[in-house]
Amino acid sequence: MTWVICCALIFEMRSQTIIILDKANEEPVTTAAVSDPATGRVVFANKKGQADLSSFVASTTLQISSFGYNTLMIRKSELASSDDLVFYLEKNNLNLGEVIISANKWTQDSRNIPQKITPIPKAEVEFQNPQTAADLLGISGKVYVQKSQQGGGSPMIRGFATNRLLYSVDGVRMNTAIFRGGNIQNVINLDPFAISSTEVLFGPASVIYGSDAIGGVMSFQTLNPSFSVNENPVVSGTLLGRYSSANQENTGHASVQIGWKKWAIATSFTSWDFDDLRQGRNGPDDYLKRNYVERIDGEDIVIPIEDPALVQIPSGYNQRNLMQKVRFRPNDDWEFQYGFHYSATSSYGRYDRHNRVRNGLPRYAEWNYGPQKWMMNHLKVSNFQSNSFYDRVNLSFALQNFEESRIDRDLNNPIRNTQIEEVNAYSVNLDFTKNLNPKNYLFYGLEWVLNDVNSSGFTTDINSGFREEGAARYPNSTWTSFGAYLNWESKIHEKATLQTGLRYSHFGIESQFDTRFFPFPFEEASLQNGNLTGSVGIIWNPAESWILSTNLGTAFRSPNVDDIGKVFDSEPGAVTVPNPNLNPEYAYNWDISIAKVINETLKIDLTGFYTLLDNALVRRNFQLNGQDSIFYSGELSQVQAIQNAAQARVYGLQLGMQIKLSSRFTFLTDMNFQEGEEELDDGSISASRHAAPFFGVSRIDYQAKKLRAQLYVDYQGERSFENLAFEEQRKDEIYAKDENGNNYAPAWYTLNIKFSYPLTDFLFLNMGLENITDQRYRPYSSGISGPGRNWVLSLRGNF
């Protein structure tokens, strides 16, 4: 009897660990997730493909899944009757189901989510080799990325951008009270090498994420250190070096993970150095900049750029990122995780401003962003001990520090203007999930956010070194928000799922204005407001090869400090001034999606959407103390301010298609059609600034046992002068000229090829030739051209 008991105990210990391998090459599937569909509990495989199942004691059925593989369902009872604890996943890009986190902040099967969500898996990021996190989003083929300079990237999703999109890092809100309506570059703070997975949620998501989630959410999950499944520590890591010819990129990355039974740590460090970016030879001459300014012997000298003037000066910069995570799991019911993130860039030129001309000469001798810095301390406490109120709960505390600055000086003017903004962002999130019964789930939670904004300015005489206080960009302010949400998922039919949710949010702003430099008719502003948002969606799965869904949702964006308080030159001859009398803007959205797999060879994914933005916060002409024009930076400028002054509408289609041409060849394409319009002061209609022209990517992918190769085309349609947003029509420095001399955005394409091959079991070679035909192109609304012909070479060592 004793022998039987000992054998049973030994077998039970063995059955708590499984190994997940790729069926084609028997390599570990390090991105695999094992989850319980009934409770949502999930564990991830480590670098050896091992997953510890000891936390699934009460589970009956487990799901093994990973992006690009068929999902595998196993009964827990089968583990006790089999000596084979190795499970093989079969590659299949036509799979309709994925494990998604962003929809409710908990792991779910995408088949039960009415919103359209696109995952960008780490394996695809490693193959595509994006230089920044902005470029990472672009490889999805569904997110359009604008750039005002090389050191940046402002995503556009479904006609919305900037402070109408929300960034989430490990579940923490990254948006701050100074996220502006103009293009923002904060996404480059993130390190693509330290991101384990990315998900883009399209359309309103204010029920879960609160203010700003109007056009969508970009959810980034950073590397999660893995525990050992036995008493022996698991050590893994990556060393990488990369070179790109178009900007003489030199990038180095190192990361290491060590996992014990109850403790695990992960460390990541990346260094980038980019020289000035070279654009292509074949394209509009309007994109060529013929000179730049240098300070030589106390004078501003305009230096001509030799033909063909392809190098965009100044556009070079460098960046350093550090991440440290510590994870502690004392038992199966509790887990503690601390994460530290730090990112800092060098100063870098805002290239589009350097293209501005006055009296035939460059307007600016300097227009630079100072170092952009971001630091986050994040503590997350998780409990999995099921009770009457929840099955799982996460309590998250985060402190983020942001710093950015702007430095400008007119040509031949010794006075340099500097403005510095610092934001301390505090947040607390409490998120619960509860399985009421096999057909009903609740997701609910609370959120509290406080942003402390400190803004300062000063001027410096570069000849004498004399420095004095100057006008700040923002009033010193606090921005607070409190929200409570409830989301319900119900299996209303064997083939249909309903999701509905509500959120109440309250926000407030307290600002102190400095009237020494501008005669504002107020010294302080106070805003308090609340709002209710909701959503309802239905998913119908008539068969394994079909998914139909529709979703109705509302979203909001509460005014922030940038809206009510900034002073800046929005364009030549215009200055934006504060307006504290603002209300939230609201979005009402409807979308419908269909996904179908035909004969296991063709997958079609089509989504149509329509969004109405009411009470929209837009920049319009204004008066300051009864005057419609004031002198700003030595120029008489039209006074403007952010106002609740318009409605905006965006509608369009997103089409994705995959065709399995053979066992090794696959054709994939993503195409995006969208139209946007907004009301102007006089009641006329203008195109919406952030509704990108038609764009997409088409790929032919080849995969053998070791070699992977891909030939692909990125492309964008034309945006004519008549279809440019009214405020864009006057931006001579960023657009080409049509036959009538008007600004417009020409159509463009790039032809590209990439390869990946393992030189050894531990060393991987990635090569790519981008923009093979050396096109000179500029993405819509961008202030800098894309790279010309560009060789990319990287070596990655895994251990």
Side-chain angles (χ1 to χ4, degrees), residues 558-572:
S558 60
N560 63 19
V561 176
D562 182 86
D563 296 313
I564 73 162
K566 70 180 170 186
V567 179
F568 84 115
D569 56 332
S570 54
E571 57 189 57

Side-chain angles (χ1 to χ4, degrees), residues 159-174:
F160 296 100
T162 62
N163 53 20
R164 290 172 178 150
L165 301 176
L166 190 129
Y167 302 80
S168 172
V169 183
D170 291 339
V172 177
R173 173 193 180 91
M174 194 180 186

Side-chain angles (χ1 to χ4, degrees), residues 419-421 455-457 470-475 514 517-518 565-567:
Q419 293 178 319
I420 301 174
E421 290 77 50
S455 183
S456 60
R473 181 178 173 91
Y474 298 114
D514 188 342
F517 302 99
F518 295 99
K566 70 180 170 186
V567 179

Side-chain angles (χ1 to χ4, degrees), residues 11 126-127 142 156 298 332 487 517-518 658 671 715 762:
F11 188 83
E126 289 178 344
F127 177 75
K142 300 178 179 67
M156 299 182 184
D332 290 338
N487 208 41
F517 302 99
F518 295 99
Q658 298 180 35
M671 293 182 284
Y715 42 86
F762 307 100

